[in-house]
Amino acid sequence: MDATDQKRLLHEMLFARRFEERCAEAYHERQIGGFLHLYPGEEACAIGVLEMARPGSDYVVTGYRDHIHALKSGMDPKALMAELFGKETGCSKGRGGSMHLFDPDVHFMGGYALVGGPFPLAAGFAKAIQLKGGEEIAICFLGDGANNQGTFHETMNMSSLWKLPVLFVCENNLYGIGTAIERATVEINQYKRVAPYKIAAAQCDGQDIDVVMQHAEAAVRHVREKREPYFLELMTYRLRGHSMSDSGAYRSREEVEEWAQRDPIGIYKARLVEKGVVTDAEFQAMDKAIQAKIENEIVRFAVESPEPRLEDIERYVYVEGGSAPWQK
């Protein structure tokens, strides 16, 4: 990877961080309603994995902490922010909000509120690819807390049995909402849990994007070439609470500070500065430009976009413009 791509990755992670921080501000300003689950601290996971895939071509599905996965898949950040603001110009026309982003044009097949819900959906996308003879793969991102759901075990079993081209990415941030993983799961190394289903698996540091990309490249190649599932566990940490209503009081200050020292943006920036790829001054200029773009273009677009019309409240519930398959 050359210096241009390295700078781009640093820019993408920093953009993701500033985008999420601005979302938090908008939530406190009551411009964003409903639930809001943010991603600071985990940027290397989504960006690193999808850098090694084919965003816009491969099918991506995830849970409700979904903003950055959508952006890396190719979603317009203006449409994403407008959706959070509940506007008609949003990716789901203001009907979905933070937990229900969706953009089939770039094969981002949704963030879902139901814990464990994306597992069988990802298998379904992979089965469709298999039946159509496509070269794409399905990629499913979920946290460690979802792996105790029945859908996890059912999907692992069928994905292996049917040899589906699906990559499961476990973003293990050590907590299921406010419950530490060791208090809810016997085997805390999640990649070991797919062994009974004969699925190849690996675990790696999710805070170092170079390490993530190295393992993701091998994982994606396995799924794409062998046309069978793979499970990749990324050890990461969310620097904010589970959601905007979560103070994070169940975590010790020492633990949070220890993980803050392994901020993925800080790790990558320090490496690029040491290699002479970027200077501190260039990083500061990059940061300033990103924040200006978010404020002057993205947030402004969301603020100025129209609200959904009351007379359209019953639209987008049923298929429009033709009969459903079962009606033919």
Side-chain angles (χ1 to χ4, degrees), residues 61 87 132 139 176 186 206 225 258 324:
V61 62
K87 298 301 184 70
K132 293 169 67 176
I139 304 175
V186 174
E225 294 180 357
E258 180 181 352

Side-chain angles (χ1 to χ4, degrees), residues 247-278:
S247 67
Y250 46 85
R251 304 188 297 187
S252 69
R253 179 178 300 178
E254 293 76 17
E255 177 184 298
V256 174
E257 290 178 350
E258 180 181 352
W259 276 94
Q261 296 302 311
R262 303 211 69 251
D263 185 314
I265 297 173
I267 290 173
Y268 200 54
K269 178 213 168 187
R271 181 172 299 147
L272 297 191
V273 168
E274 182 179 359
K275 293 168 61 177
V277 174
V278 68

Side-chain angles (χ1 to χ4, degrees), residues 143-156:
D144 53 283
N147 296 343
N148 286 334
Q149 299 291 318
T151 52
F152 170 83
H153 298 280
E154 294 168 11
T155 303
M156 295 305 129

Side-chain angles (χ1 to χ4, degrees), residues 43 61 85 92 196 221 254 280 287:
E43 292 88 354
V61 62
F85 276 56
S92 299
R221 186 189 316 116
E254 293 76 17
D280 285 320
D287 192 8

Side-chain angles (χ1 to χ4, degrees), residues 186-219:
V186 174
E187 177 53 75
I188 62 175
N189 294 298
Q190 300 299 286
Y191 78 104
K192 294 182 178 180
R193 301 182 71 183
V194 301
Y197 305 110
K198 300 181 180 179
I199 294 176
Q203 180 191 71
C204 74
D205 180 7
Q207 302 304 89
D208 188 329
I209 195 168
D210 283 332
V211 174
V212 172
M213 289 191 296
Q214 177 186 352
H215 283 79
E217 181 180 25

Side-chain angles (χ1 to χ4, degrees), residues 102-159:
F102 196 78
D103 190 347
D105 289 340
V106 296
H107 288 185
F108 182 75
M109 307 311 290
Y112 293 87
L114 293 179
V115 176
F119 287 126
L121 293 174
F125 294 131
K127 184 62 178 178
I129 293 169
Q130 184 185 72
L131 292 172
K132 293 169 67 176
E135 297 181 353
E136 306 96 335
I137 66 173
I139 304 175
C140 178
F141 291 89
L142 275 181
D144 53 283
N147 296 343
N148 286 334
Q149 299 291 318
T151 52
F152 170 83
H153 298 280
E154 294 168 11
T155 303
M156 295 305 129
N157 180 63
M158 298 310 296
S159 295

Side-chain angles (χ1 to χ4, degrees), residues 19-321:
F19 186 95
E20 296 288 73
E21 289 174 347
R22 188 61 182 88
C23 288
E25 292 178 4
Y27 187 90
H28 288 303
E29 295 164 354
R30 298 189 177 183
Q31 292 175 308
I32 295 177
F35 293 96
L36 189 68
H37 303 82
L38 302 176
Y39 206 62
E42 302 183 35
E43 292 88 354
C45 297
I47 293 173
V49 169
L50 293 179
E51 179 70 19
M52 296 294 102
R54 299 173 185 171
S57 176
D58 292 330
Y59 291 80
V60 178
V61 62
T62 184
Y64 43 75
R65 200 179 306 277
D66 54 351
H67 304 169
I68 308 311
H69 307 80
L71 289 176
K72 184 61 176 176
S73 294
M75 181 182 289
D76 183 348
K78 292 181 181 178
L80 200 164
M81 188 66 80
E83 183 61 34
L84 301 182
F85 276 56
K87 298 301 184 70
E88 185 70 28
T89 55
C91 62
S92 299
K93 298 188 179 297
R95 274 74 169 177
S98 174
M99 296 197 291
H100 304 97
L101 305 176
F102 196 78
D103 190 347
D105 289 340
V106 296
H107 288 185
F108 182 75
M109 307 311 290
Y112 293 87
L114 293 179
V115 176
F119 287 126
L121 293 174
F125 294 131
K127 184 62 178 178
I129 293 169
Q130 184 185 72
L131 292 172
K132 293 169 67 176
E135 297 181 353
E136 306 96 335
I137 66 173
I139 304 175
C140 178
F141 291 89
L142 275 181
D144 53 283
N147 296 343
N148 286 334
Q149 299 291 318
T151 52
F152 170 83
H153 298 280
E154 294 168 11
T155 303
M156 295 305 129
N157 180 63
M158 298 310 296
S159 295
S160 182
L161 182 65
W162 290 345
K163 293 191 178 300
L164 300 181
V166 54
L167 170 60
F168 298 102
V169 181
C170 174
E171 298 174 325
N172 188 346
N173 60 32
L174 309 182
Y175 289 89
I177 307 182
T179 302
I181 186 172
E182 63 269 16
R183 298 184 65 187
T185 305
V186 174
E187 177 53 75
I188 62 175
N189 294 298
Q190 300 299 286
Y191 78 104
K192 294 182 178 180
R193 301 182 71 183
V194 301
Y197 305 110
K198 300 181 180 179
I199 294 176
Q203 180 191 71
C204 74
D205 180 7
Q207 302 304 89
D208 188 329
I209 195 168
D210 283 332
V211 174
V212 172
M213 289 191 296
Q214 177 186 352
H215 283 79
E217 181 180 25
V220 168
R221 186 189 316 116
H222 180 102
V223 177
R224 202 178 303 281
E225 294 180 357
K226 295 191 176 183
R227 313 309 292 176
E228 65 181 27
Y230 193 97
F231 187 94
L232 178 61
E233 180 182 14
L234 306 178
M235 304 305 297
T236 186
Y237 197 80
R238 48 177 166 80
L239 297 177
R240 301 183 64 95
H242 170 73
S243 66
M244 292 301 294
S245 62
D246 177 11
S247 67
Y250 46 85
R251 304 188 297 187
S252 69
R253 179 178 300 178
E254 293 76 17
E255 177 184 298
V256 174
E257 290 178 350
E258 180 181 352
W259 276 94
Q261 296 302 311
R262 303 211 69 251
D263 185 314
I265 297 173
I267 290 173
Y268 200 54
K269 178 213 168 187
R271 181 172 299 147
L272 297 191
V273 168
E274 182 179 359
K275 293 168 61 177
V277 174
V278 68
T279 66
D280 285 320
E282 289 173 331
F283 180 82
Q284 294 302 322
M286 179 190 296
D287 192 8
K288 184 177 180 180
I290 286 172
Q291 292 187 60
K293 180 180 178 66
I294 291 173
E295 195 63 40
N296 299 331
E297 297 181 28
I298 298 170
V299 173
R300 182 176 180 179
F301 175 80
V303 170
E304 296 179 351
S305 290
E307 300 277 352
R309 301 188 310 168
L310 182 60
E311 53 265 39
D312 290 337
I313 193 170
E314 295 182 357
R315 290 194 65 190
Y316 312 115
V317 178
Y318 298 103
V319 174
E320 298 180 6

